[in-house]
């Protein structure tokens, strides 16, 4: 996980979640057992997910939890 060392205001932008763009069908084919640890569904985007599993194609935001 990632932790803030100082307090952050609500809705503080920390960056853009980077990774490979996939459709839900592509994600299902890649992770048939549902073991996708760095897969993010993009809110408001129809059938778009970002897979940040590859450190070469992603950034530190892959370590954030969605609480």
């Amino acid at each position: 996980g990632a932790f803030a060392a100082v307090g952050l205001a609500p809705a503080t932008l920390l960056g853009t979640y980077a990774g490979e763009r996939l459709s839900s069908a592509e994600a299902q084919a890649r992770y048939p057992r549902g073991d996708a640890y760095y897969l993010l569904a993009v809110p408001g985007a129809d059938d778009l997910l970002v897979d940040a599993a590859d450190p070469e194609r992603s950034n530190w935001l892959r370590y954030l939890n969605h609480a």
Side-chain angles (χ1 to χ4, degrees), residues 5-46:
V6 297
L8 298 172
T12 299
L13 180 64
L14 300 175
T16 301
Y17 195 81
E20 183 180 358
R21 294 173 178 223
L22 302 174
S23 68
S24 57
E26 291 168 326
Q28 179 62 33
R30 183 175 290 182
Y31 302 105
R33 289 182 266 150
D35 55 348
Y37 299 109
Y38 301 105
L39 197 61
L40 174 77
V42 178
D46 229 11

Side-chain angles (χ1 to χ4, degrees), residues 8 10 16 31 35 38 41 43 45 47 49-51 56-58 62:
L8 298 172
T16 301
Y31 302 105
D35 55 348
Y38 301 105
D47 196 35
L49 298 103
V50 179
D51 186 0
E56 296 294 319
R57 300 179 79 173
S58 63
R62 66 192 281 221

